[in-house]
Amino acid sequence: MNKHLRILLPLILLLTLIIGTSTPAGAATIRTAEVSVSMLNVRTGPGTSHTRIATVTVGTILPVLAEQSGWVQILLPDTRTGWVSGKYVTIKDQQPTQTAQVTTSTLNVRTGPGISFSRISTVTAGTILPLLQKEGDWLQIRLASGQIGWIHSTYALLSTISVPSQPQQEGAVNVSVLNVRTGPGITFSRVTTVSENTKLIILQTQDDWLQVRLPSGQNGWVFRQYVTLAQQSAPAPSPIPEPIVSDPSEDPVPQPVLQRYATVTVSALNVRTGPTTNFESFTSLPQGAIVNVLDEQGGWLQVRLHDGRTGWLAGWLVTVSSRTGYSPSPVAGKTIVIDPGHGGANPGAVGLNGLRESEVNLAVSLHAAALLRQAGATVILTRDSDQALSLAGRVAIAEAANADVFVSIHANAHPSDIIGGTETYYYQYKTNSSESKQLAAGLQAELVAALGLRDIGVKHGNFHVVRETTMPAALVELAFLSNATEEAMMHTETFRQTAAEAIFRGLETYFREDAGTGSTVFI
């Protein structure tokens, strides 16, 4: 086999989820760049002013992640990303090969092939992941955040991707703003939005959804009703009534489903890695704790814990109930103030390549606010545009709202350009400092797991907005603008959406912490 092809095949698998989480059988090709000069520099950003991190030789074929101003972002064989000049590469299409579709409600993603490895994330039923390799009963996959992880093969359905048998169609967005999602349904996360008249390449159809390629090269799913296909002179008439949608930028409302819940009836109950007492206990639940039931086997129940992990508990030590509808998020009914740091004439830190902290803070905050509102929370933004606002004014907004929590979002900077990572602050001398620390810890844990950056930790910080607010408060520092690699990440929509989702999960963790402890542990 040609040496370049041997390098390319695993990289194609790696790339599939960077382009889009959902890439089922029949998906379209991905783009590659073949080096056309004897030696080509790979840089940290799209320009010769950026640091050189590697060189590649003539004939090397690399997956394409993005294009910008004549430069091409590629994926190196060691999984690093970088930029090369578009003048010296030939862009081609290649076909991905195999995917794994999640078949259980929630599935842990671990750092290695076994339950002894730590959990880095979870994925939900229907999520389709590019398959990198197999080891025993475990599958190595790549997440949308770019992280590589392992899932158990019992809970995944493998599919081989084939070349589309028909030419690709084109379409155009026919509403003002349209959500693009990682899969064919509103339960999949939103990766971006596209505006009216945006041209899309149609990759495949699934029920009322279209998988499309955006002008940026990214793949995603959109609701079919809001795309006019190229061969249509007008939107096709519908033989049935159109779904009622409150806003054309939103997707149709899903139908309710039957869900089962288990309530612990003993003072403390072990949660195990499998459905017998022979399996290891990794945590316990106090009396009264309520968890979602996923499966049942031999009197044991598989449940989803509040931190997203799954495990098994003895079914005879709980009461099981069910109801129709969606399990309410723990943020539902809460009043949450999101504070995008800086703004207006105060841009905050400015990156090596000019990215302003105030822009990053606002983008992540707007994404987080949307997720929280969808989950039923009342969200108040201290600013929703690039405007100046005093520290005292931010505190006054939170106090006037009688908020349950206050979260301030920032990006970091350091004199050394090699320093990077994520950290979260709270003020330890408030009457509710323990709650503030708990809030900060939940946010930090989710951000580190999602972004994959260095865990700097949870710290005391004497910042005005966390010191003067009376409700539990935390201030997150997402990443370092002074670090070229992290600045490049913060430029991307993927980073901003991923960070927002992590903040959302951190707030869910904070609001659903179980109260009470038990002295006796059963099973």
Short mmCIF file of all heavy atoms in Angstrom, two decimals, residues 11 41 50 121 171 186 247 286 309 386 425 443 448 453 490 518:
data_model
loop_
_atom_site.label_atom_id
_atom_site.label_comp_id
_atom_site.label_asym_id
_atom_site.label_seq_id
_atom_site.Cartn_x
_atom_site.Cartn_y
_atom_site.Cartn_z
N LEU A 11 -6.41 8.83 9.31
CA LEU A 11 -6.70 10.25 9.49
C LEU A 11 -8.09 10.59 8.99
O LEU A 11 -8.78 11.44 9.54
CB LEU A 11 -5.65 11.10 8.76
CG LEU A 11 -4.26 11.08 9.38
CD1 LEU A 11 -3.34 11.98 8.59
CD2 LEU A 11 -4.31 11.52 10.83
N ASN A 41 5.78 24.16 4.95
CA ASN A 41 5.64 24.48 6.38
C ASN A 41 4.19 24.35 6.83
O ASN A 41 3.26 24.72 6.10
CB ASN A 41 6.10 25.91 6.65
CG ASN A 41 7.60 26.07 6.55
OD1 ASN A 41 8.35 25.13 6.82
ND2 ASN A 41 8.06 27.24 6.16
N HIS A 50 2.49 33.29 11.70
CA HIS A 50 2.25 32.28 12.72
C HIS A 50 3.44 31.33 12.84
O HIS A 50 4.19 31.12 11.88
CB HIS A 50 0.97 31.50 12.41
CG HIS A 50 -0.27 32.33 12.49
ND1 HIS A 50 -1.02 32.45 13.63
CD2 HIS A 50 -0.88 33.10 11.55
CE1 HIS A 50 -2.05 33.25 13.40
NE2 HIS A 50 -1.99 33.65 12.15
N SER A 121 -16.45 12.09 28.82
CA SER A 121 -17.66 12.68 28.28
C SER A 121 -18.74 11.60 28.22
O SER A 121 -18.50 10.45 28.60
CB SER A 121 -17.41 13.25 26.87
OG SER A 121 -18.56 13.92 26.39
N GLY A 171 -29.06 23.07 -2.43
CA GLY A 171 -30.26 23.72 -1.92
C GLY A 171 -29.92 25.07 -1.35
O GLY A 171 -28.74 25.41 -1.18
N ILE A 186 -34.06 17.38 16.85
CA ILE A 186 -33.78 18.51 17.74
C ILE A 186 -33.11 18.07 19.03
O ILE A 186 -32.68 18.91 19.82
CB ILE A 186 -35.05 19.33 18.05
CG1 ILE A 186 -36.07 18.49 18.83
CG2 ILE A 186 -35.66 19.89 16.81
CD1 ILE A 186 -37.18 19.30 19.42
N ASP A 247 -40.92 29.83 15.64
CA ASP A 247 -39.92 30.70 15.03
C ASP A 247 -39.28 29.91 13.91
O ASP A 247 -38.88 28.76 14.10
CB ASP A 247 -38.88 31.12 16.07
CG ASP A 247 -37.90 32.14 15.51
OD1 ASP A 247 -37.42 31.98 14.37
OD2 ASP A 247 -37.60 33.09 16.23
N PRO A 286 -28.18 8.33 48.12
CA PRO A 286 -28.88 8.42 49.39
C PRO A 286 -30.38 8.14 49.23
O PRO A 286 -30.91 8.15 48.11
CB PRO A 286 -28.65 9.89 49.81
CG PRO A 286 -28.56 10.61 48.51
CD PRO A 286 -27.86 9.67 47.56
N ARG A 309 -22.98 9.72 34.31
CA ARG A 309 -22.50 8.35 34.30
C ARG A 309 -23.67 7.37 34.35
O ARG A 309 -24.75 7.71 34.81
CB ARG A 309 -21.56 8.10 35.49
CG ARG A 309 -20.24 8.83 35.40
CD ARG A 309 -19.37 8.53 36.62
NE ARG A 309 -19.97 9.04 37.86
CZ ARG A 309 -19.49 8.78 39.07
NH1 ARG A 309 -18.42 8.00 39.20
NH2 ARG A 309 -20.07 9.30 40.14
N ASP A 386 -21.78 44.14 22.10
CA ASP A 386 -20.45 44.66 22.45
C ASP A 386 -20.59 46.04 23.09
O ASP A 386 -20.35 47.07 22.46
CB ASP A 386 -19.58 44.72 21.20
CG ASP A 386 -18.13 45.08 21.53
OD1 ASP A 386 -17.73 44.91 22.70
OD2 ASP A 386 -17.41 45.53 20.63
N TYR A 425 -12.88 30.46 39.23
CA TYR A 425 -12.70 31.16 40.50
C TYR A 425 -14.02 31.31 41.26
O TYR A 425 -15.10 31.38 40.65
CB TYR A 425 -12.12 32.56 40.26
CG TYR A 425 -10.69 32.57 39.80
CD1 TYR A 425 -10.38 32.54 38.44
CD2 TYR A 425 -9.64 32.61 40.72
CE1 TYR A 425 -9.06 32.55 38.00
CE2 TYR A 425 -8.31 32.63 40.29
CZ TYR A 425 -8.04 32.59 38.94
OH TYR A 425 -6.72 32.60 38.53
N LEU A 443 -18.55 23.59 37.13
CA LEU A 443 -18.22 24.25 35.86
C LEU A 443 -16.83 23.83 35.38
O LEU A 443 -16.63 23.52 34.20
CB LEU A 443 -18.29 25.76 36.03
CG LEU A 443 -19.68 26.35 36.29
CD1 LEU A 443 -19.58 27.81 36.72
CD2 LEU A 443 -20.56 26.23 35.05
N VAL A 448 -13.18 21.27 31.55
CA VAL A 448 -11.93 20.53 31.31
C VAL A 448 -12.23 19.27 30.49
O VAL A 448 -11.51 18.95 29.54
CB VAL A 448 -11.25 20.16 32.64
CG1 VAL A 448 -10.12 19.16 32.43
CG2 VAL A 448 -10.70 21.42 33.30
N LEU A 453 -8.35 20.91 27.70
CA LEU A 453 -7.18 21.74 28.02
C LEU A 453 -6.67 21.43 29.43
O LEU A 453 -7.32 20.72 30.19
CB LEU A 453 -7.55 23.22 27.89
CG LEU A 453 -8.05 23.66 26.51
CD1 LEU A 453 -8.42 25.13 26.51
CD2 LEU A 453 -7.00 23.36 25.44
N MET A 490 -10.29 29.31 20.11
CA MET A 490 -11.36 30.22 20.52
C MET A 490 -11.96 30.98 19.34
O MET A 490 -13.04 31.54 19.45
CB MET A 490 -10.86 31.17 21.60
CG MET A 490 -10.75 30.51 22.96
SD MET A 490 -10.33 31.65 24.31
CE MET A 490 -8.55 31.72 24.13
N GLY A 518 -26.35 8.77 54.04
CA GLY A 518 -26.83 7.61 54.77
C GLY A 518 -25.68 6.92 55.47
O GLY A 518 -24.55 6.98 55.00
#
